[in-house]
Amino acid sequence: ACHLDLDHFKAFNDTYGYRRGDQVLLHVAQAIAGTLRPRVDFVGHLGGDDFLFFLRSQDWSLRLAEMLQGLAASLANFHSPEHREAGGYDAVGREGTVRHFPLLSVSIAAVVVDGGPGISVDWVDERLRRAKALAKSRPGNSCMLANGEQVVDLLGRHELPQLPLHDTALLRLPAF
């Protein structure tokens, strides 16, 4: 089970306009759909810049990594050459003040769901929420895979400490 969220999408929309933002959302949806295997996997748009998808074939982790690499390479192209060269741009943030934003990136939370006893929608949701918070705490593109209580950074292939019991602990994990 995977949850993909675009980083800094509001600032992008405010700077480039909703039409350009819609192009980004369509691009992300096509990248996810291109990763999926028909009749085996599932993708849904939760709204805004959030997507949920389920990968069920045995090569799911390779396809997920390939999708993430493709998005990491392509999302910068939605920015102006000046912003790409600068590595970001200034825009008004949610707090109402102007600050510097990096280029678009994605944060993906992934959870291995084995279907064993005790697995429920709430169980999957809780682990996705924790993995997403960890992914969002990293700058740039990230993909955090929760397998049981362990978390692996799929981009760096680093094993992280166990999923913490409280959200506040997520932000204190060391960066790798």
Side-chain angles (χ1 to χ4, degrees):
C2 302
H3 181 182
L4 181 146
D5 182 46
L6 279 161
D7 303 321
H8 317 294
F9 187 66
K10 181 187 181 315
F12 180 89
N13 255 350
D14 292 347
T15 301
Y16 289 95
Y18 294 112
R19 185 176 189 165
R20 190 75 169 154
D22 287 347
Q23 292 172 346
V24 169
L25 293 176
L26 182 59
H27 175 73
V28 170
Q30 290 171 338
I32 296 170
T35 301
L36 302 181
R37 297 233 166 122
R39 291 178 277 195
V40 175
D41 302 326
F42 170 83
V43 65
H45 181 214
L46 297 174
D49 61 335
D50 291 291
F51 295 86
L52 181 68
F53 51 103
F54 298 93
L55 303 171
R56 298 186 323 162
S57 59
Q58 290 189 350
D59 66 342
W60 65 267
S61 63
L62 295 174
R63 291 187 292 122
L64 180 60
E66 184 178 294
M67 179 196 65
L68 185 58
Q69 289 172 349
L71 286 171
S74 62
L75 285 174
N77 295 326
F78 287 94
H79 293 275
S80 69
E82 297 80 20
H83 291 165
R84 285 195 305 268
E85 186 176 317
Y89 54 98
D90 292 336
V92 177
R94 293 186 187 277
E95 332 63 53
T97 59
V98 174
R99 67 180 188 91
H100 188 76
F101 287 91
L103 302 178
L104 285 172
S105 58
V106 294
S107 293
I108 300 175
V111 175
V112 174
V113 182
D114 64 8
I119 303 299
S120 67
V121 171
D122 290 337
W123 183 92
V124 173
D125 180 57
E126 177 65 19
R127 277 152 183 80
L128 276 175
R129 190 178 57 75
R130 291 180 192 175
K132 180 183 169 194
L134 183 56
K136 295 291 276 185
S137 72
R138 308 256 183 199
N141 296 291
S142 63
C143 184
M144 298 297 167
L145 170 66
N147 188 358
E149 294 300 319
Q150 293 296 314
V151 182
V152 175
D153 176 349
L154 280 185
L155 285 179
R157 297 289 182 186
H158 297 289
E159 188 171 312
L160 304 176
Q162 289 187 341
L163 278 174
L165 297 176
H166 305 288
D167 292 335
T168 54
L170 282 171
L171 301 177
R172 289 187 227 134
L173 289 174
F176 288 91

